[in-house]
Amino acid sequence: MPPGYILNCYPKGYDGNSNIEVACSGKCPCCNCPSSDDPVCGSDGNDYPNPCRATTCANVEVACKGKCPCAPQCICTEEFQPVCGEDGTTYDNKCFAGCAKVNVKCEGRCPCPEPCVCTKELNPVCGADGNTYSNPCLAKCKNVDVKCNQSCPCPEPCICSTEFDPVCGSDGKDYSNPCQAGCAKVNVECKGRCPCPEPCVCTKELNPVCGADGNTYSNPCLAKCKNVDVKCNQRCPCPEPCICTTEFDPVCGSEGKDYSNPCQAGCAKVNVECKGRCPCPEPCVCTKEFNPVCGADENTYNNPCLAKCKNVDVKCNHSCPCPEPCVCTTEFDPVCGSDGKDYSNPCQAGCAKVDVVCNRQCPCNCQCELKIEPSCAENGHTFPSRCYLECQGQTFKHAGSEPLVLI
């Protein structure tokens, strides 16, 4: 075909008549395709401006999109886990991005969020997704909630009451109560809110006391360091409270202290050394003679000396209780008692609880006539008769009474 020659396609049966229109330029049959630019590589290894040109015009199958040669075939699953490529396109999954030879910029649909910047601090936390993150910031960057402040797995939940008994932990944080500190695996530094007071220094003196919290402390200082009041000056438990009257009857305790009354000394578990204020007088020394007397305090003492040592008056000369007082007249009607003693009258003998042997002065075995012949004895006493005088064992001096001497 000569240069510049235009090949036209005419309908069948064309006889050269110039009145027939040209169907298309080029060889028949005519190819009606758009002029869009969407290059493909045909199965014949040739490039075509678009798929239509390959399949319709050239009757060639499209081997791949783009210009020849075709890349090796890339096979991916249909799993939908979208990623955003560096080209700003969203791909169904990483495989499809790789097939397109595009790097993944971020997981999820485009556009990618702003980059999340964290330090390299190692403070591991366990995320709600069960993964361990080096610090809370990294978990937040992944939009994952923190489940616990340690590496996974998290411990079982620690349950405490809502009681408010604040303590300061060894980490310098406040906790609502000791249980809350324990759940955080933190030792209690001190009771109360942080900061803790300066260390309390005490001696090693052993002087145990019982605190109001029911614990025994080696000495009062250690209880004070714990801000605990002393309940009693001994080891726990404390005895029941000792109740005494306000009566003032001072006594001196065996440890040399004064007490308002014996009950107060007893409450302090101290023996009474003596009645009255300290110091006690020198010890009172008595014999072991047994001659019981009843004291004015209604106590029996083995002898009058022991009663005197206790500053107690003698009420009667025998063991308590004392008899009722015996009242007699001063009538002189002498009798001789069974104890061989003379009594002014029978009543006096009865008061002494002595039986009357005879109704005259002792001795009773001396018989005299009932006549009055006054006789004076050497001792100056006058008797009814000389017989009575001698019955009494006296020496006769003269008849009659002893003369009165006027001064």
Side-chain angles (χ1 to χ4, degrees):
M1 184 177 295
Y5 179 79
I6 298 175
L7 182 64
N8 294 322
C9 179
Y10 296 97
K12 285 185 178 181
Y14 178 63
D15 56 0
N17 190 341
S18 59
N19 292 326
I20 296 176
E21 294 180 359
V22 176
C24 63
S25 296
K27 293 181 179 182
C28 292
C30 289
C31 181
N32 293 317
C33 287
S35 60
S36 60
D37 185 24
D38 184 15
V40 295
C41 178
S43 58
D44 58 357
N46 293 321
D47 292 325
Y48 293 91
N50 53 55
C52 180
R53 289 283 186 176
T55 57
T56 303
C57 297
N59 198 26
V60 174
E61 292 183 0
V62 175
C64 64
K65 284 188 173 186
K67 293 187 177 184
C68 298
C70 291
Q73 192 172 5
C74 190
I75 301 173
C76 296
T77 66
E78 293 185 0
E79 176 188 18
F80 187 69
Q81 237 179 351
V83 294
C84 180
E86 289 183 345
D87 59 355
T89 301
T90 299
Y91 295 90
D92 287 350
N93 54 49
K94 290 181 181 179
C95 178
F96 282 109
C99 287
K101 296 182 180 181
V102 175
N103 292 328
V104 174
K105 187 176 182 181
C106 66
E107 292 187 352
R109 294 179 179 276
C110 297
C112 293
E114 290 298 320
C116 191
V117 180
C118 295
T119 65
K120 293 184 178 181
E121 174 194 17
L122 182 61
N123 179 19
V125 295
C126 181
D129 59 357
N131 294 320
T132 298
Y133 296 87
S134 297
N135 56 54
C137 176
L138 292 173
K140 185 178 180 181
C141 283
K142 296 290 185 180
N143 291 320
V144 176
D145 293 331
V146 173
K147 189 174 180 182
C148 63
N149 294 318
Q150 64 178 62
S151 299
C152 296
C154 291
E156 290 300 316
C158 190
I159 301 173
C160 295
S161 69
T162 56
E163 176 193 15
F164 186 68
D165 181 19
V167 294
C168 179
S170 55
D171 57 357
K173 294 180 180 178
D174 291 323
Y175 293 89
S176 299
N177 53 52
C179 176
Q180 296 285 359
C183 285
K185 296 184 178 179
V186 174
N187 293 326
V188 173
E189 191 73 16
C190 64
K191 294 188 77 174
R193 293 182 178 278
C194 299
C196 292
E198 291 298 318
C200 193
V201 180
C202 296
T203 64
K204 292 184 178 181
E205 173 195 15
L206 183 61
N207 179 20
V209 295
C210 180
D213 58 357
N215 294 320
T216 298
Y217 296 88
S218 297
N219 55 55
C221 176
L222 291 173
K224 185 179 180 182
C225 284
K226 296 290 186 179
N227 292 320
V228 175
D229 293 330
V230 172
K231 190 174 181 182
C232 62
N233 294 317
Q234 65 178 61
R235 293 182 180 277
C236 296
C238 292
E240 291 299 317
C242 192
I243 301 173
C244 295
T245 66
T246 57
E247 175 192 15
F248 186 68
D249 181 18
V251 293
C252 178
S254 55
E255 89 284 42
K257 290 183 180 178
D258 290 324
Y259 293 90
S260 299
N261 52 53
C263 177
Q264 295 285 0
C267 285
K269 295 185 178 178
V270 173
N271 293 326
V272 173
E273 190 72 16
C274 64
K275 294 189 75 175
R277 294 182 177 278
C278 299
C280 292
E282 291 299 320
C284 190
V285 180
C286 296
T287 65
K288 293 184 178 181
E289 173 195 12
F290 186 67
N291 179 20
V293 294
C294 181
D297 58 358
E298 299 300 329
N299 291 319
T300 299
Y301 297 89
N302 285 344
N303 55 55
C305 176
L306 293 173
K308 184 179 180 181
C309 284
K310 296 291 185 179
N311 292 320
V312 175
D313 294 330
V314 172
K315 190 174 181 181
C316 61
N317 292 319
H318 55 72
S319 299
C320 297
C322 292
E324 291 299 319
C326 192
V327 180
C328 295
T329 65
T330 57
E331 175 191 12
F332 185 70
D333 181 14
V335 294
C336 180
S338 58
D339 57 358
K341 294 181 180 178
D342 291 326
Y343 293 90
S344 299
N345 52 53
C347 178
Q348 293 287 355
C351 285
K353 295 184 180 180
V354 174
D355 293 332
V356 175
V357 176
C358 60
N359 292 320
R360 60 175 178 272
Q361 292 180 320
C362 299
C364 287
N365 58 359
C366 187
Q367 301 294 327
C368 296
E369 295 181 12
L370 294 175
K371 60 180 180 179
I372 303 302
E373 293 177 349
S375 300
C376 182
E378 287 287 347
N379 62 2
H381 291 175
T382 300
F383 293 87
S385 65
R386 182 170 181 170
C387 177
Y388 274 105
L389 182 148
E390 290 173 348
C391 280
Q392 296 298 320
Q394 300 296 322
T395 303
F396 179 76
K397 186 177 182 182
H398 59 78
S401 300
E402 185 71 20
L404 297 174
V405 178
L406 298 176
I407 300 175

